[in-house]
Each structure stands twice: as C-alpha cells, then as structure tokens.
C-alpha cells in the first residue's frame, strides 16, 4: 500500500510536468497541424533560465523565507518571459514563412530549430555539455509520512502548481477572446479569418501560451530534480508528445489526461521488477491506443468532408 | 528490341559500374578513407531513395525510419555472428580470408545471406507497423513509426542486457573477413539497384498510384487505387532498403549498436530527402551524396571548432527550408532537366501546343479499343434500400431508396445540406451507412472500400474538384486506368515487354479520352493550372477512365458559364450513349437537371420528398416548398423553377 | 513548376556556405613545432568532443594535448615533434569508422589514442586491426575491448577488477550486507559493473536485495528509488555515470535513506559535487587517481590544467595524458613509426610511471593498475583508501 501511494504521488508529479509540456504540443498542433519538435527545447530553455536566475540571486544560500519566495517568483517570471520571447521568435521567423509550404517542411524546420537550440546551449561559453546542479534549498518540512509512504513536500507543491497553471490555461482557452480566437483558428484558418480573427496574431499567441507552460514545467523540474542540461528537452519532449497523442492531439483535456497517464504508467513500471521495460511499454501503449482509438483517448476523428 | 536492350544495358551498368569503380579504386590505390567515404555515400543514397519513396512519392511520414535500419543491422549481425560462425567453422580459412576471386565470391555470398536476413527482419517489422497504421489517413504512420523505433531500441537493449551484458551486439572477431565485401561495390550496387527500382516503379502507370495518394487519397481510392496496398508497398520497400543499409553498416564495424538508430538518426535520414526536393529522386540522390561529402569535409575542423558543426548543420537546414521550401530540386528529375535544356535549344515553338478553345464539338471515334471498350453488356441495376446515416445525433440521410436501371440519367436534387453528396459518399464507399443496404446486381456494396466499389463499376466526380493537382492532365487520367492493367508492380519494376505494351495502350486510351473532352492539347499541363471548367471536364474524363458502368456526377455544372453548361448537357448524353452508362447526377442548375435527366429524386433534410419525371417534379408543391418556402396563398411558384 | 535556375542557385548557395566555412577553419595553422626538428610524428586522438559523452572526450583531449606539449618541450619523439590529430565522433557509434579512416589514411597517424566509451572503442577496432595501427584506450573499462584484437591496448583497469574492489570495499570496510543495485540500462559499462559487483558481493556473503534500471537520458528517479528502498537496503550501488548519480543520491536522501552509496569511476566529475551537494556525504567511488595524490608530477599537472581550464582535472584528463605518454614512449623505444613495431613496443611497456600510477602492459594488453577509493564529504572528495589487494 505504501509503495502504491508513494509511486502514485511520484507518477502524478511526473505526469503533471508531462501534461504542461504536452499542452504546448497539442495547442500548436491544433492551430497549425504542426508537430513542433522544438517544443521540448523551449522547456529546456525555461529550466536553464530559471537556473541562471537562481544562481544570480544566490538562491539556496539564504535562509530568509521571504527572499526565497521572492527569488522563486523571479525564477518563474524570468523563465516564462524568456520562453515567451523564444516562442515568438521561433514562430515568427522559422514557421510563419512556411505557413503555405508542405507540412513536411515545417516539420524539418522544427527539427532544425531544435538542433540549433541544443547545440547552442551545449557550447562551453553558453551553458556547456555537462549537466549542472540546480542551487539547492531546504524546504521547511522534511518528508511527510502518509499511510506509511514517504511524500516530499516539493511533490505536493509541484502538483498544486501544475493544477493552478492548468486551470489558468483552461480559463484562457474557454473564457477569453484570445481563447475563442485559438479555438476558431484550430477549427479552420479561413473561416476564422472571415470572422475577423487575426490568425497570425492568434498563432503567435498560441505559441506564447504553449511556451509559457513549457517554461513553468522547466522551472518545476529544475526545482524537483536539481539538475538541468541542454539535452533534457529531448526525452521529456518525446514523452510529452506521446502523451499528447495518447490523449488525442489537438484536444487539451486529452493532453492533460495523456500526460498523467504517461507519468503514472511510467512510474508504476519503473518502480516494479520490470523497470527495464518502462519505455518499451510506454510506446507500445501509444501504438495500442492508436489502433483502438485512432483519434486518441479524448480526440475524435472527424469524417473528412468530401 | 531496343528498349529491352537498353534496359539490359542499364541493369548491367548498375551492377558493373560499382564493380569497375571498386576495381579502379584498388588498382590505383585510392585511399581507403576516400573509399570509406564513397561507401558511405552509396549507403546514404540507398537510405535516401527508400525514404524518398515513402515520404516524397507516397506522401507518408516515417519518422522512425532508423528503427528498420536497426532491425537490419541487428538481425544480420546476429545471423553472421551465430549461424555463419558455425557454418564457416569447418571451412578452409584461405577460402574465406584469401585475396583471390573465389574467396571474394564466397565472402560476398555470405554477406548477401546475412543482408537477406536483415532485410527480412526489416520487412516483417514494417508490415507489423504498416498494416494497422496505413489503413488510416493522416499522421498515424509518423507517430506509429516514432513509437516503433523506440520499441525496437528498448527491446534490443533488454535482449542484449540479458544475454551479453552489453548494449551492442559484436560480430565475433573470427569473422573479421565479413567486413571486407562491405565496400564501394556492394554499397553502390545496392544504391543503383534501389534507384532503378524506385524510378521504374514511379514512372509506370501502376506506380503513379503513389503520387496520386500523396496528392489526394480519397480521389485516388475513388479511381480504383487500393491505397492501403500501395502505401504499404512503398513503406515496406523503403524499409527493406533501410534494413539492407543497416546490414551493411553493422558488417562494416562488426558492431550492431541499437543506440545508433534512434530518433536523431531517423531525422538525419529525412533531411536529405526533404532538402533535395521531396518527390524528386534526382534531388534526394544528389542531396544525400552532397551532404555525406560535406559532413565528411567538416571533420577537418580544428577541435575547438567542432562544436560549431552541428550549429552550422542546423542553421543551413532551417535556412534552406525557408528560402526554398520545395527543396533544392523541387520535383525536378534529371529527365525534366534534359527536356528543359532541349526546349531551350529551339526557343520559339517549345512549349506544349497552345490550349485548344474549350468549345469544340465533333468527338472523334468513340468506339475506343482496349480497356474502355466497355463490358459489352448493359449496366447492372443499382438499388439503395432505406439508406440511413447518422453523424453523432444528426441523421444526415434517412431511408433513402433508389433504383437505377441500365442507361438511365437520374437527377438527385435538393436544397443545400439536403444530404445529396452524403448519398454519393455512401454509394461510393466514402462513408459507411448506419442502416440500409446498397446492392449492385444483387450483391451488397456495404462495407466495401472506395477502390473496391470503383472496381465493381461505379465511378464518381467530386463537388469540390479533387484532381491530383501537382500531376499532369495526362497522368490524372492514366492513374485511373490503373485498375485495368494486367501487369502489376513486378512488371513495372522489371519492365517486361507486356509492361511496355500496356503502357502504350494506357497512354493511347488516356489521350483518346482527353480528346473526347477537348483536353488533349493540355495533356502535359499541371492539372491545378487548368481553368475551372476544364478541371470539371478532366474530372469526368478521369472517372470515365476507370471504365465504369454507373457514373455519379456531383454538381458538374458548378462554376460553368451558360455556354459551357450547354456543352455539358450534350456531353452527358453523349457519354451515356457512347459508353453505355447509367448516370446519377447531383446538380443545382435546374436547366441542366431538367434538360438531361429522365427521372429526378428530391431530397430535403435527408428525406426523399419527391420522385418522378422532370415535369412532375417541377410542379410538385413539396419540392417548391423545400426550395422556396411555403407559398403565399395558393399561387404556385413553379415558374421560378422552370 | 520550379525553375531549374532557382534550384541551381539554391544548391550553389547551400554548398558554398558549407564549403567556405570549413575551408576557413581548415586553413587555420596548427600548433607550431618546438625545438625538435623534422616532419612531425602524428598521433591520432579519437574523441567524443560533442554529443552525449562530450565531457569525457573534451577532458581527455585536454590531457592528450598537454602530454604532446610536454613531450615536445622535452625534445619530442625520435628527435621529431609529435602532433596530435583530433577527430570528433560526436559520441556516435556510426561515425567511428570514418573517423578512424580519416586519422589513419588522411592524417597518416602512427597510433591512435581513444575512445573512452567502450562501445565506440569496439567500433574502432576493425579499422585499427586492418591497417595495423595500435589503438590505446585511456578509459574503456569493458573487459571485452582488448580481447578483440592484438593492436588494442588499455592503460586503465577493467570493470572486472573495479567491480570486485567496490564489492569488497562495501562488504569489508563499510560492513554492509544488503545492497540495492541501480543500473543504467543504456550503458554497457553500468550493466557490466552491476553484474560483477553482484557476483562478488554475493560470493562474499552479502545479498543483493533488489535490482532497478533507469536510462541515462532520464531525469526523474523517484519510482526507481522508491522501489529500491522498498527492500530496506543498507547500501545503494550506483554503477552509472555522474550525470545521473548525483540526482539519484539526492532523491534517495530525500526519501529518507541515510546509508552509504558506492559506485565506479563513472562518478568522477566536478559536476557531481555541484549536483549532489550535501547529499553525497557517506558515498564512495573507485577511481584512477585522486587530486590529493602528493606525487609532485600529479600536482604539477593539476596546477597546469587548473591554470588553463579553470578546473581540477578529472580522471579522463589524467588517463588521456597517460595514454598519450605511453604511446610516445613506445614509439621512442620502437625507434620506428611502423605500426607493428610500435605495437611490439607497447606490448613491452613495463613500469612506466604515469600520473595514474605505474603502468605495465600484461599479455592480454591490459594494464595492471592500482585503484583508489574516494570518499565524499561536504561536496569534496578525499582519499578514503588506496586499495591493496588482499
């Protein structure tokens, strides 16, 4: 039982991070029908930006709770702002010129941007090839015992934070004009344009929203895992993308569901005697779900208008 | 037979030139490093050609393609390592590692055996992934291959960990001689054969089904192309080539390391295909050769600058994609370039004959030979019984019944959204009805796919024209002849005499149909560049090329001017008579409907509200109401319809 | 349709950009030769300067470069200067073959130092054997490496030895009996080390309670750590690389584990202490050298390295230096630059004093090396024990 509780909490935490990243994939796919392979690297940039901020403010060296909280907010702010900028630049200069080109081109450009970000950050002058430790900070409470299981306070904080940002995202999508624009644009570019939606602006905003969520995920992982490196986006991106597809790409609730599912199943398997089969299982699950429900768990395959 | 002779020469050259190159390289002591680079170029060209078939020609994304290389590499290495070691244990060492021709021959044979095992594994893998995911349209193959690549990596890793405590499979060092036939000759023979096979395939009537699928999958299946089968063909062929290349690579280093074939490798494979011009064989060959060479040159960078190599690579990638989205070569092939240069040679009369004016009459002899000669018998009867379809809660068509007898022209009319096109879609297999039955000559069509229904003799056009936009007018029609060919893919690849015969026949037939529709002068134009009316006619010509017994026309007059409409009416009657067809027609233009139809059905909100002769329909109050709303008072609004 | 002119222009553009850049870099003059005269003797260095193992390759290359400088300052080899040709394999298996070809054929090196990762060294062996160019690996600890060809040498200990030492240290010095082994399943090094540890530890009378796997690309280990701690072990064995180990130890400490952790030379990197911090107290790993070594040669090297690169050299830098020096020494003793002669001289290496200890090449072309057990306290390493076989 305690095994189950602690693994479930770990799985939910990991799943929350996946969900935050998966939302970015799903949002962009919805609007542009583009698999944005550079998204995982935006997440990496978010984590590194938070790392830079934490180092600059000497986080972890001070014991003052107020200073700590302030620095933590600053980390979030810097990470989000830098990812928003990056997201905008990528969309404006790498994807927008290709709006009318075959989709394969945007795919290749996305991969090019991804390589570019990874190799730039691997340069010794920029960040370097090796991982670096995130400055550490003792939280006031140690591990919490819950029905015999150990739960870390960070895990609960991250779970709460993830939930908060998911709700913010939901609010934006469902209750703002921008969200309406995003939904309209996902439905059909030309129809949206006819209804007076500025599709270019909405596409940029979608990228900004996705990048912002990725930045949040980056900060959380930095805090949680105490380690950042320029290639951290590759694996996380691949998993989050898988999660988005499992949930139904283009469907936002699906992205969250897929992320949580992915996190839980990975954690249960990694924490069992079959830990070696973790990734094989995750991808087999992906293919299986696509076979049974081609549109993903919550997605639907709209019949093509003929 | 000069063509056959030429093909034989090409084949012999594909085998001979690499051997000669290898001989010359050895004879003049070309540096083994240069030889290794040439080998790598050959291998990468093979990979690019295979992937180009999948991505460029069939329009399917395989973004886990390195997984098939991994299968080829691992299984061939395992075969060599475990099986060959036993078989060669008793053999004379001089026979295996000697310098003579005999030894080289034996080694080559053994390598071929291992490569066969590797390609077999890749083929099986690609069928496992392809069969379920290629049934669906869209990005499923991309995602499934991505997942498959990771599964292959993980399973091989687990296997290796359990069995050898290592992360790679090493070929037993006693079999070192197996790396010797991995040279320019073997890589280039593989590459040239791959180019030859793919070129032969995509330049045949059978193989043109692939670009048709890329351009419009629904239209392709509506003209009788079994899309799943062709997508699978391209996918398996491309994967087999990847498997062969993987086998070569593992024998070069005597190592099969699954970690070499992960997502990043798959991307490396795609890059030259897209950069060279997706859909251009010449482009992908040139791009992969050039890229391999340039990346090799970059090894000379001093160690401090090595880190900039990947940045440069990624930067060039993004820039080329933005500056030249269609790839360096676009869809140009070597042949096109030669033709272009020839045309430049004689400046004035170069381009294809000017388009003939649209409104000409007097069709040429319609009793066409070959595929289009009709089946001689009267068209079978088509009946729809209580056909119903629901999308979610919406009943789009409710209890639609229809009986089409031989030689009739029947109109299907109704206000927008009445469900007319949905009926077409059910009859032609695009949608599966929720209830009811469709019977053609007493056999049910429900559950058959578009291609099978087309094969049974029902052809259609589309409301929003669905031509193969990037292909020529001639190709659009030729693809539709596809189902009538008796020669298949093997004949296309091996270029049998029968293939040439049928290819000539197909061209003749297509030109014949084009002449019938005043399109012959535009035969070499790209379909999407045609004026609207001509596109409509081309679509009908394409539908007729499938030699249907029943033709369904979806708003053929939409967008035509009155003169064109008049021509269309006579054309519809003419093709009915010439080809002995039954015609089902959806049309909004009442002049056309009343002019050509012998019987009319009226749909409104999915219900059949009237059926009868044109003059009866004209006066039917329910029809008038459906179109114009309830009449004010008793005054009939019939005139509005006349 | 596209105009072919446009295509040609685009091709030329793409080609010329790449060409001009590499031409510009290639044109940079290489390091000028010192006092020794004559054509330089070239020694290759096959290294992963970029990619996932870039940190190993870069460290090793720094060591190799310093070795070449010192040797040239001391009169070179056979009166001629030595020159290092480095080639980057991007940490990719499939690149190794052409890298070796380039070194041997184009740069005409007489011997090659490299690689660190055993799988890449393995891929380099067929070429080295074929052209009879000795290959000296500074850091591939996989026992299989030197069994695959008589031109392959190793100047570090093997995993077999290292794994046994870890097991004995844990059982005898730490007194632990119930181990949880956490393995990086994507690394042959880690798999092998775990296996050898498990065998030896069980033989000594200890018990491996649980085995758990992760991959080096992971960044999250809660599930694995939870699973490992489930068995209530008194020892965690982490046979992977420092990139993950710091993090795993952190996770374990947060989950309440207070016992000792042990591992192999893959732990060695400054980053480890930065990532792991205080959590690394009471952890130990086996290594090739320790910066605490009072040997003046070692201290001189550390000083030089520090002044140049601003960090304490890790074991890979030391091993790179030693490997290059062993090769220079062999060429000098062979008195010739032919591969087979250098090979014979390498095989005859005896009591060569390097930074990582005294190197004697045995009949299996391995070096019998001493091993040190390093302990960590307050994010700093100290010499726990210079291991002597018992």
């Amino acid at each position: 039982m305690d095994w189950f509780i602690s693994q479930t909490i770990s799985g939910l935490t990991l799943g929350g991070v996946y969900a935050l990243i998966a939302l970015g994939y799903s949002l962009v796919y919805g609007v542009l029908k583009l698999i944005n392979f550079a998204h995982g690297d935006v997440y990496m940039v978010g984590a590194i930006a938070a790392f830079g901020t934490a180092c600059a403010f000497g986080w972890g060296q001070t014991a003052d709770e107020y200073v700590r909280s302030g620095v933590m907010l600053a980390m979030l702010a810097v990470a989000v702002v830098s990812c928003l900028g990056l997201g905008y630049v990528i969309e404006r200069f790498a994807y927008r010129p290709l709006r009318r080109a075959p989709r394969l081109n945007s795919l290749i450009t996305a991969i090019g941007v991804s390589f570019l970000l990874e190799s730039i950050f691997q340069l010794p002058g920029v960040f370097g090839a090796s991982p670096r430790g995130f400055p550490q900070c003792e939280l006031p409470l140690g591990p919490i015992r819950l029905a015999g299981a150990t739960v870390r306070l960070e895990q609960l904080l991250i779970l709460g934070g993830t939930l908060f940002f998911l709700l913010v995202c939901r609010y934006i999508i469902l209750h703002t004009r921008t969200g309406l624009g995003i939904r309209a644009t996902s439905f059909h570019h030309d129809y949206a344009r006819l209804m007076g939606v500025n599709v270019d602006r909405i596409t940029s905003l979608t990228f900004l929203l996705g990048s912002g969520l990725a930045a949040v995920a980056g900060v959380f992982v930095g805090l949680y895992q105490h380690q950042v490196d320029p290639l951290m986006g590759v694996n996380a991106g691949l998993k989050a993308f898988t999660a988005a597809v499992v949930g139904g790409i283009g469907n936002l609730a699906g992205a969250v569901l897929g992320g949580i599912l992915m996190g839980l199943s990975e954690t249960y398997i990694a924490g069992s005697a079959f830990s070696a089969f973790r990734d094989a299982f995750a991808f087999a699950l992906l293919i299986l779900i696509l076979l049974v429900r081609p549109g993903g768990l919550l997605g639907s395959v709209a019949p093509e208008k003929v | 037979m000069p063509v056959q002779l030429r093909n034989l020469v090409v084949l012999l050259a594909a085998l001979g030139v690499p051997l000669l190159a290898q001989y010359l390289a050895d004879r003049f002591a070309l540096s083994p490093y240069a030889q290794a680079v040439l080998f790598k170029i050959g291998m990468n060209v093979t990979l690019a050609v295979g992937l180009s078939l999948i991505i460029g020609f069939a329009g399917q994304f395989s973004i886990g393609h390195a997984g098939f290389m991994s299968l080829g590499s691992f299984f061939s290495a395992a075969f060599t390592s475990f099986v060959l070691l036993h078989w060669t244990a008793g053999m004379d060492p001089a026979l295996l590692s000697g310098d003579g021709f005999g030894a080289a021959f034996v080694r080559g044979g053994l390598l071929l055996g291992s490569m066969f095992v590797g390609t077999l594994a890749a083929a099986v893998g690609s069928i496992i992934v392809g069969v379920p995911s290629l049934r669906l349209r869209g990005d499923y193959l991309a995602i499934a291959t991505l997942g498959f690549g990771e599964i292959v990596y993980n399973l091989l890793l687990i296997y290796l960990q359990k069995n050898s405590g290592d992360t790679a499979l090493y070929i037993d060092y006693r079999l070192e001689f197996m790396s010797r036939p991995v040279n320019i000759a073997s890589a280039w023979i593989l590459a040239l054969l791959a180019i030859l096979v793919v070129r032969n395939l995509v330049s045949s009537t059978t193989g043109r089904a692939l670009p048709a699928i890329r351009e419009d999958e629904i239209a392709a299946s509506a003209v009788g192309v079994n899309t799943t089968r062709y997508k699978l063909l391209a996918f398996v062929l491309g994967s087999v080539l990847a498997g062969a290349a993987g086998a070569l690579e593992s024998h070069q280093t005597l190592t099969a390391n699954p970690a070499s074939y992960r997502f990043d490798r798959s991307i490396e494979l795609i890059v030259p295909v897209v950069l060279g011009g997706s859909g251009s064989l010449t482009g992908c060959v040139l791009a992969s050769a050039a890229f391999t060479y340039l990346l090799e040159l970059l090894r000379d960078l001093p160690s401090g600058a090595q880190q900039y190599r990947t940045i440069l690579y990624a930067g060039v990638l993004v820039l080329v994609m933005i500056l030249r989205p269609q790839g360096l070569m676009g869809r140009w092939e070597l042949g096109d370039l030669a033709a272009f240069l020839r045309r430049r040679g004689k400046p004035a009369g170069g381009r294809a004959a000017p388009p003939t004016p649209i409104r000409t009459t007097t069709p040429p002899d319609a009793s066409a030979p070959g595929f289009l000669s009709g089946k001689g018998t009267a068209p079978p009867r088509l009946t729809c019984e209580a056909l119903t379809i629901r999308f979610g809660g919406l009943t789009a068509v409710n209890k639609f019944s229809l009986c089409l007898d031989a030689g009739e022209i029947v109109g299907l009319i109704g206000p927008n959204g009445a469900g007319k096109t949905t009926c077409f879609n059910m009859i032609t297999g695009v949608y599966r009805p929720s209830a009811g039955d469709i019977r053609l000559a007493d056999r049910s069509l429900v559950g058959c796919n578009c291609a099978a229904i087309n094969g049974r003799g029902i052809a259609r056009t589309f409301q929003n024209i669905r031509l193969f936009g990037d292909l020529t007018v001639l190709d659009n029609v030729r693809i539709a002849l596809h189902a009538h060919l008796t020669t298949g893919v093997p004949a296309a690849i091996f270029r049998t005499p029968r293939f040439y015969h049928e290819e000539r026949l197909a061209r003749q037939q297509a030109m014949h149909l084009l002449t019938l529709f005043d399109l012959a002068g535009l035969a070499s134009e790209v379909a999407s560049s045609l004026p609207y009316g001509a596109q409509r006619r081309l679509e009908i010509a394409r539908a007729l090329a499938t030699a249907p017994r029943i033709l369904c026309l979806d708003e053929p007059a939409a967008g035509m001017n009155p003169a064109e409409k008049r021509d269309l009416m006579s054309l519809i009657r003419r093709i009915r008579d010439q080809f002995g067809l039954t015609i089902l027609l959806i049309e909004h233009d009442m002049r056309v409907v009343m002019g050509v139809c012998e019987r009319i059905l009226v749909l409104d909100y999915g219900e059949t509200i009237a059926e009868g002769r044109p003059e009866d329909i004209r006066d039917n109050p329910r029809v008038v109401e459906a179109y114009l709303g309830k009449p004010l008072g008793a005054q009939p609004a019939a005139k509005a319809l006349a | 349709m596209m105009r072919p002119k446009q295509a040609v222009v685009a091709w030329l553009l793409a080609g010329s950009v790449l060409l001009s850049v590499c031409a510009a870099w290639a044109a940079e003059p290489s390091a000028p030769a010192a006092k020794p005269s004559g054509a330089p003797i070239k020694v290759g260095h096959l290294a992963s300067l970029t990619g996932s193992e870039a940190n190993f390759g870069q460290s090793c290359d720094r060591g190799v470069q310093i070795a070449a400088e010192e040797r040239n300052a001391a009169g070179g080899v056979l009166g001629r200067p030595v020159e290092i040709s480095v080639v980057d394999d991007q940490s990719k298996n499939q690149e190794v073959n052409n890298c070796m070809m380039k070194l041997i054929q184009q740069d005409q090196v007489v011997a090659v130092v490299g690689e660190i990762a055993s799988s890449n060294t393995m891929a380099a062996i067929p070429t080295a054997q074929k052209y009879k160019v000795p290959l000296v690996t500074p850091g591939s600890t996989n026992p299989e490496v030197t069994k695959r060809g008589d031109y392959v040498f190793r100047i570090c200990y093997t995993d077999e030895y290292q794994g046994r030492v870890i097991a004995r240290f844990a059982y005898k010095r730490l007194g632990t009996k119930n181990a949880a082994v956490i393995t990086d399943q994507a690394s042959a090094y880690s798999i092998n080390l775990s296996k050898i540890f498990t065998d030896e530890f069980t033989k000594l009378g200890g018990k491996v309670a649980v085995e758990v796997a992760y991959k080096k690309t992971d960044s999250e280990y809660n599930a694995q750590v939870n699973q490992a701690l489930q068995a209530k072990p008194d020892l965690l064995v982490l046979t992977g690389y420092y990139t993950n180990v710091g993090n795993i130890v952190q996770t374990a400490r947060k989950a309440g584990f207070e016992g000792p952790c042990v591992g192999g030379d893959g732990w060695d990197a400054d980053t480890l202490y930065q990532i792991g911090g205080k959590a690394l107290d009471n952890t130990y790993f086996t290594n090739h050298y320790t910066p605490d070594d009072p040997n003046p040669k070692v201290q001189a090297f550390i000083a030089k390295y520090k002044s140049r690169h601003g960090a304490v050299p890790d074991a890979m830098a030391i091993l790179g230096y030693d490997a290059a020096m062993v090769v220079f020494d062999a060429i000098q003793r062979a008195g010739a630059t032919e591969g087979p002669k250098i090979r014979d001289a390498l095989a005859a290496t005896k009591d060569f004093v390097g930074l990582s200890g005294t190197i004697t090449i045995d009949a299996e072309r391995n070096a019998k090396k001493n091993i040190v057990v390093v302990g960590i306290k307050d994010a700093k390493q100290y010499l726990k024990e210079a291991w002597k076989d018992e």
Side-chain angles (χ1 to χ4, degrees), chain A residues 11-249:
Chain A
L12 284 176
T13 314
L14 182 65
V17 171
Y18 283 157
L20 284 173
I21 309 174
L23 270 175
Y25 279 106
S26 230
L27 278 167
V28 170
Y29 189 89
V31 172
L32 283 188
K33 302 285 171 286
L34 161 74
I35 303 173
N36 179 14
F37 274 111
H39 190 62
D41 300 288
V42 173
Y43 150 81
M44 172 271 288
V45 171
I48 287 182
F51 166 80
T53 318
C55 289
F57 285 105
W59 199 56
Q61 279 145 29
T62 167
D64 188 333
E65 290 300 320
Y66 292 105
V67 177
R68 274 193 201 166
S69 321
V71 174
M72 190 159 155
L73 287 179
M75 269 157 51
L76 260 178
V78 172
V80 168
V81 168
S82 43
C83 284
L84 291 185
L86 184 69
Y88 178 77
V89 169
I90 293 176
E91 195 276 328
R92 179 67 190 77
F93 295 103
Y95 298 156
R96 195 177 294 177
L98 288 170
R99 203 64 60 75
R100 304 248 165 241
R103 279 180 16 189
L104 192 59
N105 290 60
S106 326
L107 195 75
I108 296 289
T109 315
I111 289 161
V113 171
S114 160
F115 281 0
L116 204 60
L117 285 174
E118 283 162 21
S119 40
I120 286 176
F121 275 88
Q122 276 192 307
L123 287 181
V126 183
F127 183 86
S130 337
R132 295 217 213 155
F134 212 85
Q136 287 163 50
C137 194
E138 297 296 322
L139 286 167
L141 288 169
I144 304 162
R145 309 295 295 180
L146 193 78
T150 318
V151 178
R152 285 159 53 188
L153 191 63
E154 296 113 287
Q155 294 180 318
L156 298 179
L157 277 179
I158 288 170
L159 268 178
T162 306
L163 200 65
F164 172 73
F165 282 103
L166 288 180
L167 288 176
V168 168
C169 176
R170 184 186 149 83
Y171 177 79
I172 292 176
I173 296 288
L174 292 183
H175 300 287
T176 64
R177 274 174 62 95
T178 307
L180 190 64
I182 291 177
R183 281 181 287 149
T185 309
S186 315
F187 184 72
H188 201 291
H189 280 202
D190 293 338
Y191 298 169
R193 214 171 265 135
L194 286 174
M195 295 299 119
V197 176
N198 182 343
V199 169
D200 278 341
R201 197 174 137 263
I202 289 295
T203 309
S204 288
L205 284 172
T206 311
F207 266 84
L208 294 189
L209 185 56
S211 305
L213 291 171
V216 172
V219 176
F220 283 169
V221 165
L223 284 176
Y224 185 41
Q225 285 310 322
H226 312 288
Q227 184 173 331
V228 286
D229 81 278
L231 295 179
M232 68 191 281
V234 180
N235 224 28
L238 204 61
K239 292 280 173 59
F241 169 65
T242 309
V245 175
V246 164
I249 192 149

Side-chain angles (χ1 to χ4, degrees), chain B residues 74-279:
Chain B
F74 181 84
F75 281 95
S76 67
F79 182 76
T80 299
S81 203
F82 302 135
V83 180
L84 282 194
L85 192 60
H86 291 294
W87 288 355
T88 55
M91 280 166 92
D92 177 13
L95 193 59
L96 297 171
S97 47
D99 285 327
F101 270 116
F105 196 73
V106 171
R107 285 195 298 260
L110 291 176
L111 179 70
L112 217 56
S114 296
M115 281 174 72
F116 176 73
V117 173
T119 50
L120 201 65
V124 170
S126 65
I127 290 171
I128 292 174
V129 192
V131 167
S133 51
L134 285 171
R135 278 174 200 284
L136 305 161
R137 283 192 278 271
D139 290 343
Y140 296 105
L141 185 70
I143 294 161
T145 47
L146 182 77
F148 181 74
E150 286 299 302
I151 292 176
V152 167
Y153 166 70
N154 280 288
L155 290 184
L156 290 182
L157 206 60
I158 293 166
Y159 170 84
L160 286 166
Q161 187 186 349
K162 294 267 180 292
N163 287 281
S164 63
D166 215 320
T167 50
L169 179 74
Y170 300 105
I171 295 177
D172 194 289
Y173 206 74
R174 278 167 286 173
L175 295 168
E176 179 273 330
F177 58 83
M178 285 296 284
S179 70
R180 294 221 233 152
V182 180
N183 54 18
I184 301 178
S186 52
W188 278 97
I189 288 178
L190 186 64
L192 291 179
L193 287 181
I195 293 173
L196 214 58
V197 164
V198 172
R199 189 199 73 103
N200 282 356
L201 183 61
V202 298
S203 64
S204 71
T205 299
T206 322
R208 271 186 212 104
L210 294 174
I213 292 168
R214 176 191 71 202
E215 294 294 316
D216 191 327
E217 202 168 331
I218 291 181
S221 62
V223 297
V225 173
N226 183 339
T227 51
T228 309
R229 188 173 150 249
Y230 278 94
K231 286 193 282 183
L232 193 65
L233 172 81
F235 184 58
V236 172
L237 204 55
S239 306
V240 159
L241 289 177
L248 276 184
E249 191 170 277
S250 69
H251 283 75
Q252 185 190 35
T253 52
L254 302 180
T255 308
N257 188 347
S260 302
Y261 308 105
R262 297 191 65 193
F263 185 59
D264 52 342
R265 187 71 185 274
S266 297
I267 299 307
E268 271 177 37
L269 300 183
I270 295 179
V271 166
V273 176
V274 180
L275 279 191
S278 184

Side-chain angles (χ1 to χ4, degrees), chain C residues 18-41:
Chain C
L18 276 172
L19 266 176
S20 60
V21 173
C22 56
W25 273 329
E28 271 178 35
S30 39
K35 277 172 228 154
S37 58
I41 293 176

Side-chain angles (χ1 to χ4, degrees), chain C residues 366-378:
Chain C
N366 291 324
K368 184 95 179 75
K369 291 283 287 289
N370 37 5
I371 205 164
V372 293
V373 180
V374 175
I376 304 173
K377 188 155 178 45
D378 291 327

